[in-house]
Amino acid sequence: MRTTIRDIQMMRDRGERIPMITAYDYTSAQIADRAGIPIILVGDSLGMVVLGHQSTVPVTLDEMIHHTRAVVRGTQKALVVGDLPFLTYTSPEQAIQSAGRMLQEAGAQAVKLEGGVHVAPIIARLVALGIPVMGHIGFTPQSVNQIGLRVQGKRANEAQQLIADALAVQEAGAFALVLELVPAELAQAITERLRIPTIGIGAGAGCSGQVQVWHDLLGLYSDFLPRHARRYAELAKTIADALSQYVHDVRNGLFPGPEHSSRIDPAELAAALSNIDQAT
Ligand code: KIV
């Protein structure tokens, strides 16, 4: 049975911290699912870590759907949340189309979208139609050109706005809220004022759960580690070492070995070769 948004709410109500991770393909999703991670986000961060863009802005809905389908195929238990990319939810009608595709074509169980008070009516419309929505406030990467890459809510007026945003997203019916790059004390204050779970990234330990980007957590995106991330593995190095060994073994005739090859009965081969030799 897949994790539901009700299960996520019950985790929060029991005081169980909620782990969430991004994944973008079948194999990674299968690993995350088997590791017992209850929520997998197909984040539009794939624009950077998978597609090599500078930001999430160029990511299209078709790309999100393509990757989300693979993640859904790789999972049996996790709740799969598909990110709605930039400019795909500018009106309730457009949001219904986009979120509808994410659920119907990609098979996600929920969508995530960025914004507070201003997107609350859009969230309310989706929720009324049976589409679970995860909100996302604080640093919202799709607005990087507007707000810059920086911690949000350090001044009283900004902090007050973020609290208003969080409440608006909750009242619109979102089942959870991502808080990205928000001071820890403010994230905790928001978490204490909400009934729904908060999922932090760069928002301290006082949130109901945490989300991390697959490549940051596993040391795959080797040139850069955001301050808020902790590497639990150094997979870029592990992979590079493995590839160097492979190159060495091929160059030196050490791969493939006999155990990697199939055999033909020598008599069969001799017969084939003699037939060929006689014909030429
Ligand atoms: O796109 C993404 O990966 C995200 C997370 C950082 C929350 O939105």
Side-chain angles (χ1 to χ4, degrees):
M1 279 281 288
R2 269 198 198 270
T3 305
T4 63
I5 60 169
R6 204 171 121 76
D7 296 326
I8 301 300
Q9 182 65 45
M10 288 193 309
M11 285 181 200
R12 180 258 176 215
D13 295 345
R14 286 195 297 263
E16 243 176 74
R17 289 206 168 92
I18 305 162
M20 168 165 142
I21 192 160
T22 66
Y24 314 97
D25 63 60
Y26 172 83
T27 312
S28 322
Q30 197 172 55
I31 296 170
D33 197 49
R34 289 180 182 171
I37 298 185
I39 314 181
I40 297 182
L41 169 69
V42 190
D44 60 357
S45 50
L46 77 84
M48 284 104 82
V49 299
V50 176
L51 302 178
H53 294 302
Q54 291 294 310
S55 76
T56 61
V57 170
V59 177
T60 66
L61 185 58
D62 284 343
E63 287 169 339
M64 289 305 303
I65 286 175
H66 174 80
H67 285 269
T68 304
R69 290 173 88 167
V71 167
V72 169
R73 285 193 290 265
T75 52
Q76 291 179 336
K77 288 202 189 139
L79 177 81
V80 177
V81 180
D83 239 348
L84 293 186
F86 186 51
L87 297 184
T88 63
Y89 49 96
T90 59
S91 66
E93 291 66 34
Q94 189 196 22
I96 293 165
Q97 290 288 324
S98 305
R101 286 190 65 196
M102 195 55 96
L103 266 63
Q104 291 188 305
E105 281 179 45
Q109 287 81 54
V111 297
K112 177 167 83 58
L113 51 80
E114 297 179 4
V117 170
H118 296 299
V119 299
I122 290 175
I123 296 177
R125 193 71 190 285
L126 294 177
V127 172
L129 291 170
I131 300 174
V133 178
M134 176 179 276
H136 183 161
I137 63 169
F139 171 64
T140 44
Q142 292 170 13
S143 309
V144 65
N145 293 314
Q146 182 88 21
I147 61 178
L149 202 174
R150 65 176 181 88
V151 174
Q152 304 289 311
K154 282 187 145 183
R155 314 290 303 220
N157 62 332
E158 271 185 17
Q160 202 178 326
Q161 181 60 51
L162 281 180
I163 295 171
D165 285 335
L167 290 169
V169 167
Q170 168 177 275
E171 294 322 313
F175 73 93
L177 177 62
V178 169
L179 300 177
E180 181 163 358
L181 299 190
V182 173
E185 303 85 342
L186 175 59
Q188 178 156 355
I190 292 174
T191 302
E192 286 165 1
R193 280 165 179 74
L194 294 187
R195 300 180 303 274
I196 59 171
T198 57
I199 310 286
I201 175 163
C207 298
S208 325
Q210 298 292 324
V211 57
Q212 286 287 295
V213 169
W214 180 268
H215 293 58
D216 294 338
L217 189 98
L218 297 174
L220 267 170
Y221 196 48
S222 53
D223 356 2
F224 171 67
L225 181 70
R227 178 170 167 211
H228 56 71
R230 179 185 290 168
R231 277 195 186 148
Y232 285 84
E234 294 288 350
L235 291 195
K237 182 172 179 336
T238 305
I239 292 170
D241 290 349
L243 294 178
S244 304
Q245 187 65 46
Y246 169 67
V247 168
H248 170 272
D249 288 357
V250 170
R251 288 201 172 130
N252 291 284
L254 299 171
F255 177 83
E259 70 278 26
H260 305 115
S261 312
S262 53
R263 317 286 308 187
I264 182 172
D265 185 323
E268 296 291 334
L269 181 58
L273 294 178
S274 106
N275 288 344
I276 291 282
D277 291 345
Q278 278 165 21
T280 53

